[in-house]
Amino acid sequence: MDTVGERIKYARKKNNLTITALSKLTGLSVGNLSDLENNKSMPSSNALIKLKNALNVSIDWLLTGQQIEYIKEEEEKYLSREEFESISEKDKIIFKAFETLPEERKRDIEGYIKVSLNTTDLEKFIKKEKKV
């Protein structure tokens, strides 16, 4: 796989996604994705982030074909694709709604969650819960 387009297409197929399904996951149009996969255009930084998240790959890999080793602790902050797939549809809707909020509202909600869970560090709380 020598090109960004080839890597996008490979990752899409590896994730058993149609181009239409990837479009729905990323918000990128089918035409845009087709142009990317056929090397007619290069992805914007915004598109790279969306593709990274939807395809569960790194931006480094999308751009270069090389995987940069990340610190394991950093990776544990995020849900794996399998963990995300197991989340209820209601919770997925809540996550999507949360993403649309301004940063100030997100901080308010994060504060409410911390108070509700009686913690000051959500990352440590989640790591502790995963180990149980």
Side-chain angles (χ1 to χ4, degrees):
M1 291 173 287
D2 295 328
T3 67
V4 173
E6 288 172 343
R7 286 186 286 277
I8 293 170
K9 188 173 194 173
Y10 172 83
R12 175 177 62 80
K13 288 185 175 188
K14 188 167 176 153
N15 282 284
N16 296 315
L17 294 170
T18 64
I19 204 162
T20 303
L22 183 57
S23 173
K24 288 178 183 175
L25 282 173
T26 61
L28 303 172
S29 72
V30 170
N32 186 7
L33 289 168
S34 177
D35 285 349
L36 293 172
E37 286 188 0
N38 291 302
N39 298 301
K40 293 181 180 177
S41 63
M42 286 293 289
S44 67
S45 56
N46 189 38
L48 282 169
I49 292 167
K50 291 177 179 183
L51 289 165
K52 168 189 119 38
N53 292 333
L55 298 172
N56 200 25
V57 296
S58 72
I59 291 174
D60 299 313
W61 181 82
L62 283 171
L63 292 175
T64 68
Q66 296 178 345
Q67 187 68 34
I68 305 295
E69 292 299 320
Y70 292 100
I71 301 170
K72 181 96 173 123
E73 186 175 303
E74 189 67 22
E75 287 182 346
E76 290 176 353
K77 290 181 184 177
Y78 306 101
L79 293 176
S80 69
R81 184 169 192 81
E82 293 79 26
E83 288 172 318
F84 183 77
E85 294 293 330
S86 70
I87 294 173
S88 72
E89 287 304 311
K90 180 181 176 185
D91 288 344
K92 287 179 186 176
I93 291 168
I94 291 169
F95 285 134
K96 295 270 186 199
F98 182 81
E99 288 177 345
T100 67
L101 295 172
E103 288 305 314
E104 184 179 334
R105 293 289 149 247
K106 288 180 182 179
R107 284 191 300 274
D108 291 345
I109 291 170
E110 183 180 342
Y112 177 77
I113 292 170
K114 286 177 179 178
V115 168
S116 297
L117 296 174
N118 194 26
T119 185
T120 57
D121 190 331
L122 287 175
E123 288 177 26
K124 285 182 182 175
F125 178 84
I126 297 301
K127 283 180 187 177
K128 187 174 85 177
E129 291 296 307
K130 280 186 176 181
K131 290 178 183 176
V132 173

